[in-house]
Amino acid sequence: GSVDDGKSTLLGRLLAETGSIPEDQLEAARYTRRPGSTIPLGEVDYSLVTDGLEAEREQGITIDVAYRHLILPSRRRAILADAPGHEQYTRNMAVAASTADVAILLIDSMRGAKRQTHRHLTVCGLMGVQHVVLAVNKLDGVGYDKGIYEELVAEVSDTARRMEIRSVIPVPVSALVGDNVLGHSPNTPWYHGPTLLDALDAAEIDEDDSGEVRLPVQTIIRGKEFRGYGGLVAQGAVRAGQRVTVAQSGQQATITALHWLDGTKPSEREQAIPGESVTIELDKDIDIARADLLVTGEAPQLADRFASDIVWMSDQQLAHGRSYTLRCGPLEVPATVTNVRHRLDVTNGNTMAARLLEINDVGRVEIATSRPVILEPYTESRETGGFILVDRLSGETLAAGLTRFALRRATNVVPHHFEVDRQARQALNGHAAKVL
């Protein structure tokens, strides 16, 4: 959400009332105050629970992403990422969204939805967040007006529909008072939906490990009579006996054993699921290097041109024809932005012609890599479709990118056989064919 919508206060209350933070942190929040705070000493200032940087406490804003663990009523564990609301920290918010399954979007009911509210929702949609809990906050400041609540929900739902976000659950809350955060409030008798905590717990996260395997190789592990290939499973379930293909070269081999970092014996576990690090042994030695992609089924196609959406994060403008370093997991390759197709208006969803992208702009670009690589559509795989662009000299991260599709210009040049031959063309043009 936008600045001062109450994000830190809401998450602080959520953590405190579910017993997810230590008692000494709560005590510190009782007797520490920001400059200008109106909360009396002795009461918990929930916004201090997640704002840990000294600069955050001095300025009264969130600057960097803070991660806290939350135990849900179903005993599932959630990791909360408290992201900043200022426009200049959109890149920090994008980092939090890139690993999120669910987003809590806050709106200040006294000030309404702002441009930054729509920007954050747009970034969530681009980053593949499919579930949004829409928390309309500070309802105590507008007398718990149902009309204002419904108006804000309708406005934001339009943006969510445009960004193809699967589900939006609106909840009227007051983070300061605690209305509808953990329990239903008598101040909103017109609301019969779930509380904020229930809405989070109800989110159904897709943890499908039945698809095709994607295992980017991070390291080659060698030992005495041992050669293994280690990496983080990006998709599918990896099992012994599977036939895998090196996507870059087409070579095939069969997995003979799996090894885990915790020393688990291959006989004790049958498979490695997405998000787990594993080392595999193969039945034969084939040429595999770091950043190669091991897959089952049909291998994705190599390409050196891609259409991508990017969130530009740097003070320096995106420059046409300038070479950057593209990183996607262990993959690292020089890349050039060859074209800026358009810039996205985050408020209304319109696309506008643009030749440059400024800091915090979202746009569609075309990228050329120095060699053919595999970048799959981000909608199919975050791990093999998301990337960053890095300055080759300073190492600064300049943009977060999301692959939409490959531009298969290198693969659609094929021989054609025509009935009109060279002699016929020479007769038609009146001269022989030459190449200068």
Side-chain angles (χ1 to χ4, degrees), residues 43 53 67-68 83 117 123 172 187 247 282 318 338 351 370 373 394 407 412 429:
E43 292 185 20
L53 297 178
Y67 294 94
R68 296 289 185 274
T117 308
V123 171
N187 296 319
L282 300 177
L318 166 62
T338 56
T351 56
S370 63
V373 296
S394 67
L407 303 169
N412 63 9
N429 292 320

Side-chain angles (χ1 to χ4, degrees), residues 296-349:
T296 57
E298 185 178 351
Q301 196 167 5
L302 287 161
D304 58 3
R305 298 285 191 280
F306 300 92
S308 305
D309 289 328
I310 64 171
V311 181
W312 192 253
M313 300 179 172
S314 174
D315 293 324
Q316 54 178 295
Q317 294 175 329
L318 166 62
H320 277 265
R322 184 175 169 189
S323 183
Y324 303 105
T325 298
L326 183 149
R327 288 181 183 158
C328 173
L331 173 67
E332 191 167 310
V333 62
T336 305
V337 177
T338 56
N339 184 28
V340 178
R341 286 191 180 181
H342 59 246
R343 182 170 62 83
L344 184 68
D345 187 321
V346 296
T347 307
N348 55 31

Side-chain angles (χ1 to χ4, degrees), residues 126-410:
L126 288 173
M127 294 289 178
V129 180
Q130 289 298 309
H131 305 279
V132 172
V133 177
L134 178 59
V136 182
N137 194 24
K138 303 187 183 180
L139 276 175
D140 52 318
V142 294
Y144 299 96
D145 191 311
K146 182 182 178 183
I148 292 176
Y149 165 75
E150 290 179 342
E151 191 177 308
L152 291 171
V153 169
E155 180 183 346
V156 174
S157 295
D158 283 343
T159 304
R161 200 174 302 112
R162 175 167 44 79
M163 293 309 300
E164 299 180 353
I165 292 172
R166 194 187 309 167
S167 72
V168 177
I169 303 175
V171 184
V173 300
S174 171
L176 194 64
V177 181
D179 294 320
N180 297 323
V181 178
L182 264 71
H184 287 90
S185 169
N187 296 319
T188 54
W190 42 265
Y191 176 70
H192 306 289
T195 64
L196 183 75
L197 189 63
D198 291 338
L200 285 178
D201 207 9
E204 295 183 5
I205 310 305
D206 295 330
E207 296 179 349
D208 184 18
D209 55 13
S210 60
E212 302 293 357
V213 169
R214 296 289 184 269
L215 177 61
V217 176
Q218 293 181 358
T219 184
I220 315 299
I221 300 172
R222 300 177 184 84
K224 188 176 181 181
E225 299 181 0
F226 177 84
R227 184 181 180 87
Y229 308 95
L232 188 77
V233 182
Q235 184 180 308
V238 179
R239 305 179 184 89
Q242 281 177 326
R243 189 79 173 164
V244 293
T245 304
V246 183
Q248 284 81 351
S249 64
Q251 299 177 91
Q252 293 188 330
T254 301
I255 299 175
T256 57
L258 276 64
H259 302 274
W260 284 267
L261 189 65
D262 60 6
T264 305
K265 295 178 182 178
S267 59
E268 294 175 6
R269 287 175 61 179
E270 294 182 354
Q271 64 181 22
I273 59 174
E276 285 189 314
S277 293
V278 69
T279 297
I280 64 169
E281 278 188 89
L282 300 177
D283 63 341
K284 60 181 178 181
D285 286 336
I286 56 177
D287 186 14
I288 299 177
R290 175 177 163 83
D292 280 350
L293 184 66
L294 302 182
V295 303
T296 57
E298 185 178 351
Q301 196 167 5
L302 287 161
D304 58 3
R305 298 285 191 280
F306 300 92
S308 305
D309 289 328
I310 64 171
V311 181
W312 192 253
M313 300 179 172
S314 174
D315 293 324
Q316 54 178 295
Q317 294 175 329
L318 166 62
H320 277 265
R322 184 175 169 189
S323 183
Y324 303 105
T325 298
L326 183 149
R327 288 181 183 158
C328 173
L331 173 67
E332 191 167 310
V333 62
T336 305
V337 177
T338 56
N339 184 28
V340 178
R341 286 191 180 181
H342 59 246
R343 182 170 62 83
L344 184 68
D345 187 321
V346 296
T347 307
N348 55 31
N350 294 336
T351 56
M352 297 168 291
R355 292 190 57 79
L356 294 169
L357 292 181
E358 308 275 356
I359 185 170
N360 295 321
D361 279 347
V362 179
R364 175 70 57 89
V365 301
E366 292 181 9
I367 292 177
T369 54
S370 63
R371 57 183 170 84
V373 296
I374 291 173
L375 290 175
E376 297 189 276
Y378 188 80
T379 51
E380 295 179 10
S381 174
R382 281 183 172 186
E383 283 71 20
T384 58
F387 61 86
I388 58 172
L389 294 179
V390 178
D391 188 294
R392 300 185 70 177
L393 295 177
S394 67
E396 177 192 1
T397 300
L398 304 175
L402 317 145
T403 308
R404 292 307 171 204
F405 50 87
L407 303 169
R408 307 189 192 282
R409 294 172 185 164

Side-chain angles (χ1 to χ4, degrees), residues 15 21 25 49-52 66-70 78-82:
L15 290 163
I21 52 173
Q25 271 188 275
V49 171
T50 54
D51 287 349
Y67 294 94
R68 296 289 185 274
H69 292 262
L70 171 70
I79 299 176
L80 290 177
D82 181 21

